[in-house]
Amino acid sequence: MTKSLFALILTLGLGSFASACAAQAPAAAPAINDAQIAHIAYTAGVIDVTAAKQALQKSHNKAVRAFAEEMARDHTAVNDQALALVKKLGVTPQDNPTSQSLASNAAAEQKKLAALSGSAYDKAYAANEVAYHKAVNAALQDTLIPSAQNAELKSLLETGLKLFQSHQMHAEHLAQSLK
Amino acid sequence: MLRMTTLRCGLWLLAVASLPVAPAAAAPASAAHAARVHVIMIDKMQYGPMPTGVRAGDIIEWTNHDILEHSVTARDGSVDLDLKAGASGRFTVTAGSHTYFCKFHPTMTATLLVR
């Protein structure tokens, strides 16, 4: 487990999982492989699409809905590309503790957001999107991209990073406008 | 006489119809200026560098190299070009400073100066 992935997990509120992993981790953690990287990146995309779908069900704010539509459209497109690439490469994405913790904690976050409504929901969704994109971008930049061995996977992750940095900027503008 | 006139009109129409079809706006701004095509790449969530020396009547061709759909949408509403991943599109520009953005990704913006 690398420092950056820990940062991602902690930022996403996965402290308990991180602690559990730290306790169990061997002295020299094995390097993350391309199949695991693909799984983590794909899972991160699915999480944001799910969050966007919830926003489209709950929010009546025009700017929030436009942002959610952008997230659903872009993350779906990137994940489609990722699926096509792993198929082409003959790689089977490999589930791993990071993907599992991302998914379970995202489900918990979604439950929290489900209990909110109106402007409280809009603000919480926007704030979560800022934090989530910051964490994912840091993980991409510091861990996933440097660790990727396949050039095409690395390139797709780099394109994804540019895209998600743009999402982060948009989320920050959105969060600011909702204050 | 009437028949002759009709025939001439018909020939004229045929000749006009057989001319290569070009966008009306693609005509040169002046007789001295032949319209040029300027290509702008869209890649990694950014519009490529804006060309310099663009003149009214020139054609701007936008090519989307990204894996996502983008648009080239003018702030003044005069242009709204949707570009699927890998697609290209073009339009003719008029003089002035034109600001464009992507309606799908509002953080993407560009300003093109046209003389």
Side-chain angles (χ1 to χ4, degrees):
Chain A
M1 182 74 59
T2 66
K3 189 177 173 185
S4 296
L5 282 173
F6 264 118
L8 169 61
I9 288 165
L10 289 169
T11 307
L12 292 171
L14 310 182
S16 57
F17 170 78
S19 302
C21 276
Q24 295 166 11
I32 192 166
N33 64 40
D34 280 2
Q36 291 169 326
I37 290 170
H39 200 285
I40 292 168
Y42 187 85
T43 302
V46 168
I47 286 169
D48 213 41
V49 171
T50 305
K53 285 180 179 170
Q54 185 188 45
L56 289 170
Q57 284 176 347
K58 289 183 70 71
S59 181
H60 300 289
N61 182 296
K62 193 179 169 186
V64 170
R65 292 183 63 83
F67 177 83
E69 281 170 3
E70 180 184 335
M71 294 307 107
R73 183 177 53 243
D74 288 356
H75 285 286
T76 299
V78 173
N79 272 4
D80 287 348
Q81 291 282 327
L83 282 182
L85 178 59
V86 294
K87 189 177 175 186
K88 177 185 162 191
L89 298 175
V91 171
T92 303
Q94 187 183 326
D95 199 3
N96 58 84
T98 302
S99 291
Q100 289 161 11
S101 65
L102 281 173
S104 64
N105 283 271
E109 185 62 36
Q110 196 176 18
K111 197 174 171 185
K112 274 190 214 167
L113 288 170
L116 302 174
S117 61
S119 67
Y121 170 81
D122 292 339
K123 287 177 185 175
Y125 170 64
N128 188 55
E129 286 297 298
V130 172
Y132 187 72
H133 281 92
K134 269 186 188 171
V136 169
N137 290 342
L140 276 168
Q141 194 161 347
D142 300 337
T143 303
L144 302 181
I145 292 172
S147 302
Q149 296 299 305
N150 179 273
E152 287 182 86
L153 176 61
K154 196 185 275 283
S155 174
L156 181 59
L157 293 172
E158 286 167 347
T159 299
L161 176 59
K162 287 280 182 191
L163 169 66
F164 305 149
Q165 284 171 337
S166 153
H167 286 177
Q168 183 185 326
M169 205 186 304
H170 192 177
E172 286 167 350
H173 290 163
L174 178 67
Q176 189 65 33
S177 72
L178 294 172
K179 278 185 179 171
Chain B
M1 184 64 184
L2 179 63
R3 194 173 169 188
M4 197 56 147
T5 306
T6 307
L7 183 62
R8 278 183 187 148
C9 285
L11 287 172
W12 182 83
L13 283 171
L14 192 65
V16 169
S18 65
L19 286 173
V21 177
S30 69
H33 172 228
R36 292 168 60 202
V37 178
H38 307 268
V39 178
I40 299 174
M41 299 291 179
I42 303 172
D43 194 21
K44 291 189 165 52
M45 300 296 289
Q46 287 180 329
Y47 295 115
M50 291 297 107
T52 54
V54 180
R55 299 179 64 177
D58 282 357
I59 294 164
I60 308 297
E61 182 170 302
W62 306 76
T63 301
N64 181 8
H65 280 209
D66 254 342
I67 57 174
L68 305 164
E69 182 175 4
H70 290 301
S71 82
V72 181
T73 306
R75 287 264 182 239
D76 64 7
S78 60
V79 170
D80 188 11
L81 181 67
D82 282 0
L83 296 169
K84 300 270 185 204
S88 293
R90 50 169 59 188
F91 53 79
T92 303
V93 287
T94 53
S97 174
H98 304 283
T99 301
Y100 303 109
F101 68 101
C102 172
K103 65 188 176 192
F104 305 116
H105 308 98
T107 53
M108 288 173 62
T109 59
T111 299
L112 179 69
L113 290 173
V114 182
R115 286 182 294 157

